């Protein structure tokens, strides 16, 4: 099968800054990948390049961006293959919209329903997602009255309405306490085990669930490492990536940075 995404020599400039610098990267539909790096590394810019919020600029050599093996595609095709959850999206949805309405809005790529025609099939799919994510008891609660963790699960539900091949999560555990983090990890593992690919963008080693097998490291808008998880999450490589001496500890397929 062709890769879900493939960049060759991709650069993006925002203002006077090159936020992505000659990125070459290919990710398959069935892969579970972590994109790891410090704040300002270009991780979120890479996701915005995938979603076509950021467009490439000409740089040294040819530039290609293929989606499912073709360089000509409609951005709306992304909905059927990629679900996206970000902190920006959560901020947008912090309002008096119920959890149920948030999930239903995914069918229309809207913020709320605004007199949209909701079909019985959409209602059934929404109920199925709520049961899958164990959030049906929160269905009628407004988003601005939920905890960050509860709201995050409804945004994940919104991203799942078209049964995407891959779910992209950009810094998903920001603002979650220990209880919410535990619930979120269980949710993410359930999704990965169901066959949906995961692209997890993070600066935290402990966000990397055991189902993730590949780690892509970013710094300064560039990819500085890409490989199998156990080969990438080492003392030397993590210390170099974050410019601080650390010890990487593995426990039951979870990884933690200590000693800094």
């Amino acid at each position: 099968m062709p890769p879900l995404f493939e960049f060759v020599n991709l650069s993006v400039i925002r203002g006077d800054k090159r936020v992505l610098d000659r990125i070459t990267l290919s990710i398959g539909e069935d892969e579970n990948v972590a994109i790891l790096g410090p704040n300002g590394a270009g991780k979120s810019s890479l996701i915005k390049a995938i979603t076509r919020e950021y467009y490439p600029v000409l740089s040294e050599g040819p530039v290609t961006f293929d989606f499912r093996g073709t360089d000509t595609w409609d951005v709306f095709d992304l909905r059927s293959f990629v679900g996206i959850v970000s902190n920006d999206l959560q901020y947008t949805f912090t309002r008096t919209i119920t959890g149920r309405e948030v999930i239903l809005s995914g069918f229309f790529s809207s913020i709320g329903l605004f007199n949209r025609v909701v079909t019985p099939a959409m209602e059934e799919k929404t109920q199925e997602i709520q049961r899958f994510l164990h959030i049906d008891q929160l269905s009628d609660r407004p988003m601005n009255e939920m905890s960050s963790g509860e709201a995050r699960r409804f945004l994940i539900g919104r991203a799942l309405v078209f049964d995407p091949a891959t779910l992209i999560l950009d810094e998903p555990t920001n603002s979650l306490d220990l209880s919410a983090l535990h619930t979120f990890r269980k949710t993410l593992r359930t999704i990965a085990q169901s066959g949906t690919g995961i692209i997890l963008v993070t600066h935290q080693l402990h966000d990397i669930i055991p189902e993730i097998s590949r780690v892509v490291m970013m710094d300064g808008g560039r990819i500085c490492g890409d490989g199998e998880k156990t080969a990438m999450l080492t003392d030397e490589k993590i210390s170099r990536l974050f410019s601080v001496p650390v010890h990487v500890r593995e426990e039951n397929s979870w990884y933690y940075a200590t000693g800094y």
Side-chain angles (χ1 to χ4, degrees):
M1 292 181 62
L4 182 64
F5 299 110
E6 186 170 31
F7 297 128
V8 177
N9 211 34
L10 174 76
S11 293
V12 170
I13 294 177
R14 302 291 293 175
D16 59 355
K17 182 179 179 181
R18 185 179 290 237
V19 294
L20 294 177
D21 189 8
R22 290 167 289 182
I23 296 288
T24 295
L25 178 67
S26 177
I27 295 179
E29 284 191 15
D30 59 346
E31 283 195 277
N32 294 324
V33 182
I35 299 175
L36 178 69
N39 291 331
K43 306 184 301 296
S44 294
S45 295
L46 178 62
I47 298 308
K48 290 180 178 179
I50 289 174
T51 60
R52 305 303 263 178
E53 293 178 63
Y54 288 175
Y55 282 83
V57 298
L58 293 176
S59 62
E60 301 80 357
V63 180
T64 65
F65 174 17
D66 290 352
F67 171 64
R68 303 194 85 232
T70 179
D71 60 1
T72 55
W73 44 274
D74 191 320
V75 70
F76 292 102
D77 291 341
L78 281 170
R79 297 179 190 174
S80 299
F81 297 101
V82 180
I84 299 171
V85 178
S86 68
N87 288 298
D88 289 346
L89 191 65
Q90 181 150 347
Y91 177 78
T92 299
F93 274 94
T94 304
R95 53 182 73 192
T96 57
I97 303 172
T98 68
R100 169 187 161 275
E101 291 171 325
V102 168
I103 295 178
L104 284 168
S105 72
F107 290 103
F108 310 103
S109 293
S110 62
I111 309 299
L113 298 179
F114 300 107
N115 298 319
R116 306 277 184 169
V117 177
V118 175
T119 67
M122 292 177 183
E123 289 280 13
E124 184 178 349
K125 182 65 176 179
T126 297
Q127 293 173 12
E128 175 189 324
I129 289 171
Q130 289 178 162
R131 289 192 296 269
F132 175 67
L133 298 177
H134 303 290
I135 52 176
D136 43 327
Q137 74 281 6
L138 301 170
S139 170
D140 295 324
R141 185 178 297 179
M143 289 286 279
N144 61 355
E145 295 181 12
M146 294 186 192
S147 70
S148 295
E150 290 168 344
R152 196 73 46 90
R153 283 190 283 164
F154 277 100
L155 291 175
I156 291 174
R158 181 181 187 269
L160 294 176
V161 294
F162 290 114
D163 296 317
T166 297
L167 182 65
I168 299 176
L169 301 111
D170 189 4
E171 302 286 2
T173 62
N174 285 358
S175 76
L176 300 188
D177 62 22
L178 287 177
S179 176
L181 179 61
H182 175 74
T183 301
F184 175 81
R185 285 172 169 175
K186 288 176 60 178
T187 299
L188 197 57
R189 295 195 70 185
T190 299
I191 293 169
Q193 291 165 9
S194 74
T196 301
I198 299 292
I199 299 176
L200 176 70
V201 178
T202 186
H203 59 271
Q204 302 280 8
L205 266 64
H206 60 240
D207 284 348
I208 301 175
I209 59 174
E211 286 73 14
I212 286 175
S213 59
R214 176 184 172 192
V215 174
V216 176
M217 293 180 173
M218 290 191 68
D219 193 18
R222 296 184 175 186
I223 291 176
C224 55
D226 184 356
E228 195 270 330
K229 178 171 62 177
T230 56
M232 302 304 294
L233 301 184
T234 66
D235 293 1
E236 179 183 0
K237 290 179 179 177
I238 297 301
S239 296
R240 183 168 61 245
L241 180 64
F242 289 95
S243 301
V244 62
V246 301
H247 172 63
V248 177
R249 177 171 58 89
E250 184 269 333
E251 182 178 326
N252 297 324
S253 298
W254 293 92
Y255 286 80
Y256 305 90
T258 62
Y260 56 91

